[in-house]
Each structure stands twice: as C-alpha cells, then as structure tokens.
Amino acid sequence: LYSVDNAVTLKVLRETAPDVIGFQEISVEKLSDLAAKLKYYHHHFPKTSANLSNQDTGILSRFPIVRLLTDGIVVQVNKEFQVAVFTVHLSPYPYEPYDFRDGVITTAEQAITSATQTRLPEIEPVVEQIENLMAEGIPVFVTGDFNEPSHLDWNATTAASNLHFNKVVSWPVSNTLINTGLIDAYRSEFSNAANFPGNTWTPIRTPTEVYDRIDIIYHSDSDAYTLDDIRLVGGPLDGSGISVEGYASDHFGVLATYTLNPI
C-alpha cells in the first residue's frame, strides 16, 4: 500500500481491515502515527537493496512482531503459527514499459537485460532471506511495488490480444520469485492475464500512460492457509474491486484474504 495523506490512509485501512500491511513510500513518522491510531505493531526499515531510502518501507501488523529481518518481519499469528512478511520497493527507472512506449528499446531481450541489471540485484538479497525462512518451515509473504511487470502477464496470450506492445517478456524479478517457490496470489486466482490484467499502475488516466501490474503479493505454498480472495483497492471511479471514498494514491492497493486451515 502506498501512503499519501495519513487521514486517507487510515480511512482505507479501517474500511478494509487488513491484519498485516506492507507499505512503500512511507516515513517513520507516518507509520508510527498509523500504528498508534490503529493500535498495531509496526516496524520501519532502513535503506536496503530492496527499498529506496530510510523513509520508504514499513509494515503494520495486528499480530505481535517476534523477529526482525533485513527486509521483513516474522509475526506470531497464534500460539502455534508464525509467518514472515516482506515489503519491497525496487528501483523505478529505467522503467522498461515506458522505454517500449518511447522507442528506447524494441525487443524483449533489451527489456530483460535492462531489468536484470537494475532490479535483479536488488531482489536477490531478499530471495536469500526467503529461502532461509522456507528452509526453517516458516511460510513467507512478499508485498511490494516491484516497479517491474510480471512474466505471468507479458505472455503469448496477452501479446496476441494486443497488450503490452505485443511482447512476450520473461521479466527477471517475477521469474526469480516464482522459481524460489512463491505463488503470485493475484495470478493464482485470475490466471488469464488478458481477461484479468489486474493493473495496479495507475488509477490516474492519461492518454500516454502505460498501465501494468507492478504491485504484487506473493505467498509460499503451505497447507496452513488458503487464499480466499484478492482484490484491488481504489476510489469509486477507479473500477477497483474494493472502493473507498477519497482514495488518493497513484497506485491501486492490493488486498489478499487468507483463511487458516485446521491443524
């Protein structure tokens, strides 16, 4: 979730009632203020390879935080169950969809090379943390603005539907996370990217904008929970699955709902 005005953000959180929220572009002060008003636990992250500054990423949690990670936290969901939650904000430029639009690049290979040089090194330390946690048997959730599309969206079906500049691109960050064993929550529910693009960038409509799904929730495969629902959060005129009056971010929010399975 992107933080804009704290009063608006607080309204969104109260109306959608998530248990854990990964933020990008939120200051220490704003996160602390939201935590106090919601009576949530919270942690703000210093700059790492996977976020842009000391005033960028943070997490709110209804559940107690029992362990701090470089780019995430471990929370105690109940007496028996812990999960790890990450939030990331990768580099916005070069943004290859804009480069396709502007003729800076023309091939999938150029896009992959650019993204591999820019954002793959940023996500690799996070992947190492994820692999360590999965080896411990701790389920993992990853939230964030990846500033890079998904290879699950830029495929042959979407290219044949005149989407994404008719390109098939094996985007490196999403490929790496999927190959680590994570599941793209939205795409697991809406497998046809041509019919259900799920674009999170951006609710703001302009003639030259390039729309795409760059805000993604991933989860590890686990018998402990089931994904029940995943929807975009936006304003009344944005065409989102969950509408909040006064919504003001330039990104749609993404809300995933899981049910814990009986042990």
Side-chain angles (χ1 to χ4, degrees):
L1 184 69
Y2 264 69
S3 170
V4 188
D5 175 84
N6 253 26
V8 173
T9 305
L10 187 63
K11 184 176 189 291
V12 172
L13 295 179
R14 283 179 168 158
E15 291 193 21
T16 57
D19 293 307
V20 184
I21 309 102
F23 285 93
Q24 302 83 45
E25 293 191 25
I26 190 167
S27 67
V28 173
E29 294 75 20
K30 282 188 174 183
L31 187 71
S32 299
D33 177 62
L34 290 171
K37 288 174 177 172
L38 290 170
K39 296 181 170 53
Y40 272 33
Y41 302 93
H42 70 287
H43 182 68
H44 199 283
F45 298 93
K47 186 181 187 315
T48 70
S49 69
N51 68 72
L52 301 177
S53 76
N54 290 323
Q55 298 287 326
D56 191 1
T57 59
I59 296 177
L60 289 177
S61 173
R62 190 190 303 273
F63 310 116
I65 299 170
V66 295
R67 183 172 162 189
L68 298 180
L69 309 164
T70 304
D71 295 286
I73 60 174
V74 177
V75 299
Q76 192 76 41
V77 176
N78 57 38
K79 188 175 180 180
E80 297 84 17
F81 188 53
Q82 295 181 349
V83 300
V85 184
F86 290 82
T87 184
V88 303
H89 187 198
L90 305 186
S91 291
Y93 298 107
Y95 187 54
E96 291 79 17
Y98 284 173
D99 288 346
F100 275 125
R101 177 195 66 188
D102 299 337
V104 176
I105 59 176
T106 58
T107 69
E109 291 74 21
Q110 288 173 314
I112 293 167
T113 297
S114 175
T116 298
Q117 292 172 346
T118 305
R119 285 173 291 274
L120 189 58
E122 297 175 348
I123 202 66
E124 285 175 334
V126 180
V127 169
E128 184 176 351
Q129 296 170 65
I130 292 167
E131 290 174 335
N132 290 337
L133 288 160
M134 291 172 70
E136 294 178 40
I138 297 176
V140 174
F141 296 80
V142 182
T143 71
D145 172 8
F146 294 87
N147 276 314
E148 182 177 306
S150 170
H151 70 287
L152 300 178
D153 298 352
W154 287 53
N155 57 32
T157 301
T158 54
S161 300
N162 293 319
L163 297 174
H164 306 315
F165 307 97
N166 306 105
K167 304 294 184 187
V168 176
V169 180
S170 186
W171 296 102
V173 169
S174 60
N175 251 315
T176 298
L177 291 170
I178 294 295
N179 289 336
T180 301
L182 297 181
I183 295 168
D184 181 324
Y186 188 88
R187 208 40 82 213
S188 72
E189 288 291 292
F190 302 101
S191 59
N192 189 316
N195 292 340
F196 300 97
N199 294 335
T200 61
W201 175 259
T202 170
I204 301 169
R205 312 301 293 187
T206 60
T208 59
E209 187 54 77
V210 180
Y211 300 96
D212 217 315
R213 189 174 68 99
I214 59 175
D215 305 270
I216 301 172
I217 296 174
Y218 293 93
H219 62 261
S220 57
D221 191 14
S222 175
D223 293 332
Y225 48 77
T226 300
L227 175 66
D228 285 338
D229 184 58
I230 183 162
R231 287 187 273 174
L232 303 187
V233 182
L237 301 179
D238 294 338
S240 55
I242 300 173
S243 174
V244 179
E245 189 71 41
Y247 189 88
S249 176
D250 60 347
H251 288 239
F252 285 96
V254 185
L255 178 66
T257 304
Y258 298 81
T259 295
L260 290 183
N261 298 324
I263 297 176

